[in-house]
Amino acid sequence: MAEYNLDDVKKAAIASRVEYRGRKVQRDIANLGYDLNDAIDC
């Protein structure tokens, strides 16, 4: 399983450099009613 540095993740979110990878993630996000901005805000 991949590991990511939390500081790098925070910097990417602040810069809106976030993307969803994989169908399951996209389906789950859609089912929850979230959009990319919701993920960035979290």
Side-chain angles (χ1 to χ4, degrees):
M1 180 170 271
E3 293 183 22
Y4 301 94
N5 180 296
L6 186 55
D7 288 330
D8 292 342
V9 172
K10 289 178 182 178
K11 288 175 187 174
I14 290 169
S16 298
R17 289 184 292 126
V18 178
E19 62 184 56
Y20 299 139
R21 297 253 175 148
R23 285 186 223 153
K24 187 175 186 306
V25 172
Q26 292 175 356
R27 183 187 64 228
D28 291 346
I29 294 296
N31 285 339
L32 291 169
Y34 294 165
D35 64 19
L36 187 57
N37 289 323
D38 294 322
I40 290 169
D41 288 343
C42 286

